[in-house]
Amino acid sequence: MATTEPKHEHREEEEEAAGADDEDTGAQVAPIVRLEEVAVSTGEENEDPLIDLKAKLYRFDKDGNQWKERGAGTVKLLKHKETGKVRLVMRQSKTLKICANHLVLPTMTVQEHAGNEKSCVWHAPDFADGELKDELFCIRFASIENCKSFMDMFQEVAESQKKEESEDGSTAAGLLEKLSVEDKSKEKAEDKTEEGDGKEEKAEDKDAEKKDEKATA
């Protein structure tokens, strides 16, 4: 009676042979091209983050009369170290594409969206697409706490911008008043100088007349 070997034994031998071919020989292959690290600028180097939260952003499409998603990612309120201006920036989490990019102005207000405590809405002249557009935004957070934190910080920034704007206005008014006072004092000084020059000219004319009279005599 003829016997046959189990097929799985042959399979194990073939796998061992293939494994032997794939064994690490210890040889090192140098890369053909060496890539050096490149410093990437985000444009946020001169700004301090006031808030940094994950959210999903929508914009209202006026033509279609509906909300359209702009992207999911991280929304930040960034304060410039020198000017003190604050802007809102949001990027998509995977592509880092900008979804929103605008200054927080004193006239802006943010409010809860249609009774949803995790969402809020606001109007803004946005520059995310490379041109200024008036947008109505809606942002949705994972929790009520995050939404409240965002709204509180947004409103606080808008109020602070109002104060800075009024202070700048007062300072500008003071400078204008000071300049006007200085201009008036300069005008008075110039008038006095002109008067003095006129008196000197009259005295010189009189002296010349006297000399002419003596010469004719």
Side-chain angles (χ1 to χ4, degrees):
M1 187 176 199
T3 59
T4 57
E5 296 179 357
K7 292 182 179 180
H8 66 82
E9 290 183 3
H10 291 289
R11 191 177 301 159
E12 289 176 359
E13 290 177 359
E14 291 174 358
E15 290 176 355
E16 288 177 1
D21 294 338
D22 294 338
E23 286 183 2
D24 187 7
T25 59
Q28 295 182 353
V29 180
I32 299 173
V33 179
R34 288 188 178 182
L35 300 177
E36 297 181 357
E37 291 185 2
V38 178
V40 179
S41 175
T42 62
E44 302 173 7
E45 288 77 14
N46 293 325
E47 296 169 304
D48 294 322
L50 302 178
I51 203 165
D52 187 339
L53 297 168
K54 290 184 178 180
K56 184 175 285 188
L57 185 69
Y58 301 84
R59 61 174 286 274
F60 188 74
D61 181 19
K62 296 177 183 177
D63 297 331
N65 196 30
Q66 61 181 339
W67 289 100
K68 288 190 175 181
E69 185 177 333
R70 284 298 290 266
T74 302
V75 61
K76 299 178 183 179
L77 289 175
L78 302 172
K79 185 174 183 178
H80 199 277
K81 296 178 182 178
E82 296 178 3
T83 64
K85 299 294 183 183
V86 179
R87 66 173 176 141
L88 182 148
V89 178
M90 183 169 178
R91 298 176 185 270
Q92 292 183 12
S93 57
K94 294 181 180 180
T95 63
L96 298 182
K97 181 182 178 182
I98 294 177
C99 305
N101 180 23
H102 66 79
L103 288 173
V104 179
L105 303 175
T107 55
M108 289 182 181
T109 56
V110 61
Q111 58 187 1
E112 188 178 293
H113 176 55
N116 188 339
E117 296 182 349
K118 293 182 182 180
S119 302
C120 55
V121 295
W122 73 96
H123 280 278
D126 186 65
F127 199 73
D129 294 331
E131 59 179 321
L132 209 58
K133 292 181 181 178
D134 187 28
E135 299 281 12
L136 174 59
F137 287 119
C138 175
I139 194 167
R140 189 176 70 198
F141 296 91
S143 65
I144 298 173
E145 291 76 15
N146 284 353
C147 185
K148 189 175 185 304
S149 298
F150 174 81
M151 292 179 65
D152 290 344
M153 182 57 69
F154 192 108
Q155 210 62 51
E156 183 180 329
V157 168
E159 292 294 331
S160 67
Q161 296 297 317
K162 281 183 184 177
K163 291 179 181 177
E164 289 182 10
E165 195 174 71
S166 62
E167 289 174 0
D168 291 342
S170 301
T171 304
L175 289 172
L176 288 172
E177 186 178 355
K178 185 179 179 182
L179 287 171
S180 63
V181 171
E182 289 178 354
D183 290 340
K184 287 179 181 178
S185 61
K186 284 181 181 179
E187 288 176 1
K188 288 181 180 179
E190 288 174 357
D191 291 341
K192 287 181 179 178
T193 304
E194 289 177 358
E195 288 177 1
D197 293 339
K199 290 179 179 178
E200 290 179 0
E201 287 177 359
K202 289 179 180 179
E204 289 176 357
D205 292 340
K206 287 181 179 180
D207 291 340
E209 288 176 0
K210 288 180 180 178
K211 287 179 181 179
D212 291 338
E213 290 176 356
K214 289 180 180 179
T216 54

